[in-house]
Amino acid sequence: MSIIETRTSLYEKIYRFSSVESTMEIASSLAKEGAPEGTVVIAEEQTKGRGRAGHYWFSPKGGLYLSLILRPTFSSSYISQLSLMGAVGIVKSIREIALSLPSKIRWPNDVVIKKRKVGGVLSEVKRERNKVSFVIMGIGVNLNIEEFPFPLSLKATSLKKELGYSVPLRDFSPVLLNKIENLYFSFKKNFPSFLEEVRLFSSLIGEQVKIQNEGEELNGQVQNIDEQGNLILRLESGLQKKISPEKGLVIC
Ligand code: BTN
């Protein structure tokens, strides 16, 4: 007998907080207590916001800080693509809310406007006995942040800084949740469905980049993003190198 999935909405419950250390920890505790897929934690500010690779995430009031519990049943080899999916969701939301802004994905999980970071995705996977028990997808978007501390001020921006007017959280978050829901449902049906959008929105294809990959620094030209979400880099030596979205970090 085959089971047909009839779920039409991803979201179960949305927990809203004014201030937390990090929505990641709250979502992770809820998931450990058995909270279902689709549980969302949103905070107006974070005092210990976390980014990828141990970086901190500047999280004053005015930004969007959200963590979503996912319990994917597909093969764990696809899990690393969830961050790419989150980045596509951010870009599509920015393009819907403010069409004029040229937001792009800086593979794998940064969203940039004119090379300055406006959003990011942090996915944390909890495995039990070699199976994925849950994934917490954390999303941060600089909506209405007016000033960034130095040296972040050199490489970050916000929608408000780019547009000259505010984008209320209550307008942006439903759009983002809707995009993520659609992307996730189609991802479950057809795995690489959003990779075409990753390529379309990518700021890196054809660019010369410096990438940190498993402790080594690589220089080369980005050729493409393959069907597994890996970055295909042509090294200065002429050799091609495949870099997984879980491991690679673009330095510049
Ligand atoms: C990155 O680009 O390095 C990822 C940034 C992810 C930030 C979000 S904000 C909501 C959630 N809570 C956190 O502490 N981090 C993620």
Side-chain angles (χ1 to χ4, degrees), residues 22-24 46 49-52 57 65-67 110 117 120-122 138-140:
S22 163
T23 55
M24 297 304 281
Q46 301 184 114
R50 296 194 284 108
R52 258 188 103 202
W57 186 257
Y65 315 108
L66 168 164
S67 291
D110 291 348
K117 187 154 165 173
V121 185
L122 174 68
I139 295 184

Side-chain angles (χ1 to χ4, degrees), residues 31-32 35 37 69-73 79 124-136:
K32 283 178 193 151
E37 173 163 273
I69 299 175
L70 297 173
R71 295 188 182 274
T73 47
I79 297 293
E124 293 183 338
V125 185
K126 171 82 178 147
R127 291 191 166 83
E128 262 163 27
R129 280 174 254 109
N130 270 341
K131 271 189 70 185
V132 173
S133 159
F134 59 83
V135 177
I136 307 295

Side-chain angles (χ1 to χ4, degrees), residues 134-221:
F134 59 83
V135 177
I136 307 295
M137 182 190 288
I139 295 184
V141 184
N142 302 332
L143 294 181
N144 301 309
I145 298 172
E146 288 174 13
E147 291 305 326
F148 293 89
F150 184 82
L152 198 58
S153 52
L154 301 176
K155 40 188 189 176
T157 190
S158 68
L159 296 190
K160 184 169 185 179
K161 275 171 96 67
E162 297 297 323
L163 291 166
Y165 58 84
S166 296
V167 176
L169 180 62
R170 64 174 178 279
D171 293 347
F172 194 86
S173 56
V175 174
L176 177 70
L177 289 174
N178 178 261
K179 300 287 178 214
I180 299 288
E181 177 178 67
N182 291 337
L183 286 161
Y184 186 60
F185 281 159
S186 60
F187 187 13
K188 291 213 292 189
K189 275 198 219 131
N190 168 22
F191 290 119
S193 55
F194 57 85
L195 284 171
E196 205 36 61
E197 290 176 304
V198 173
R199 291 184 199 108
L200 187 72
F201 298 144
S202 172
S203 67
L204 294 184
I205 295 176
E207 295 288 309
Q208 277 301 129
V209 292
K210 187 180 277 186
I211 293 205
Q212 199 169 306
N213 181 49
E214 300 187 282
E216 107 183 284
E217 223 174 86
L218 303 168
N219 289 292
Q221 190 191 39

Side-chain angles (χ1 to χ4, degrees), residues 11-25:
Y11 301 109
E12 289 284 335
K13 203 166 183 176
I14 301 184
Y15 293 85
R16 292 179 194 276
F17 294 89
S18 54
S19 181
V20 298
E21 287 194 347
S22 163
T23 55
M24 297 304 281
E25 275 61 46

Side-chain angles (χ1 to χ4, degrees), residues 10 26 38 47 53 55 75 79 85 100 109 113 117 123 133 141-142 148 170 174 179 199 214 227 233 238 243 245 248:
L10 171 63
I26 299 178
T47 53
H55 295 150
S75 153
I79 297 293
M85 186 191 91
S100 60
N109 64 333
I113 296 176
K117 187 154 165 173
S123 295
S133 159
V141 184
N142 302 332
F148 293 89
R170 64 174 178 279
K179 300 287 178 214
R199 291 184 199 108
E214 300 187 282
E227 290 306 298
L233 192 67
I243 301 162

